[in-house]
Amino acid sequence: MKSMGRLASLINGDMSRQETLGFLRLALTSAMLTLLVWSLFMLDSEKTGTVWNPINRIASNLFYAYIAFAYWTLRKARVPADERDRAISAESMRSGFWALALVVGVSGAIFNTPPYDEIFRAQSTDWVQALHECYIVFGCWIESSVCVSMYWRDRR
């Protein structure tokens, strides 16, 4: 029942602009991350070459739409309304950047070890592009998750 109250407050406009954008970012990054991870690790690209291209294209188009959405919201960005919004924005951004740095560092270390470096070099350029998009989307997903969870915590 509380989730319906949260949805009703989103529709009625009871949420702040930053909280609404946090929920929209979380929904979009969740969809992108699911598609990217599924296309990277669940599909066998050698057997399903015809399936890989549409899924990769959808995930890439969602990624570019998210970049356009982020540019549009940042272009019209205003200073957050109060100190709480500024603190939530700073903490969520910090968490997203740390997650991005951690996933890039760990995967870079893994891909440079002897059994995995040959596997990584054998992948197609589409796979590597989707992997890099997945890194960025994971950082954005962590950022929006922290933002939404902090707003959720403050509403309780």
Side-chain angles (χ1 to χ4, degrees):
M1 204 52 136
K2 285 191 175 195
S3 64
M4 289 304 290
R6 181 75 54 196
L7 182 62
S9 65
L10 179 65
I11 293 170
N12 293 334
D14 296 338
M15 292 183 178
S16 68
R17 182 177 186 271
Q18 288 81 14
E19 191 173 359
T20 304
L21 289 175
F23 273 99
L24 289 174
R25 286 193 319 262
L26 181 63
L28 191 56
T29 55
S30 296
M32 280 190 304
L33 194 60
T34 302
L35 270 176
L36 283 169
V37 168
W38 183 58
S39 67
L40 281 173
F41 301 113
M42 301 299 177
L43 289 177
D44 187 7
S45 60
E46 295 169 358
K47 294 180 183 174
T48 59
T50 58
V51 176
W52 171 258
N53 288 333
I55 290 174
N56 192 18
R57 198 173 317 120
I58 289 169
S60 292
N61 287 342
L62 273 176
F63 176 75
Y64 297 133
Y66 179 76
I67 297 296
F69 172 73
Y71 175 74
W72 179 73
T73 56
L74 286 176
R75 191 182 59 138
K76 294 185 174 190
R78 296 184 292 257
V79 175
D82 57 1
E83 191 63 34
R84 182 192 74 146
D85 287 339
R86 282 191 286 275
I88 289 174
S89 176
E91 182 63 31
S92 63
M93 209 45 98
R94 186 178 312 115
S95 299
F97 281 127
W98 274 108
L100 178 63
L102 181 69
V103 75
V104 167
V106 167
S107 66
I110 289 173
F111 288 144
N112 283 328
T113 57
Y116 298 108
D117 60 350
E118 294 174 11
I119 295 171
F120 181 68
R121 285 189 198 115
Q123 299 298 329
S124 68
T125 55
D126 288 341
W127 191 88
V128 174
Q129 174 193 355
L131 181 68
H132 290 146
E133 288 174 356
C134 190
Y135 291 162
I136 296 170
V137 170
F138 178 72
C140 294
W141 182 77
I142 291 292
E143 183 267 332
S144 59
S145 297
V146 168
C147 179
V148 165
S149 66
M150 290 180 83
Y151 277 115
W152 189 278
R153 180 197 65 197
D154 287 349
R155 286 226 177 204
R156 295 171 86 212

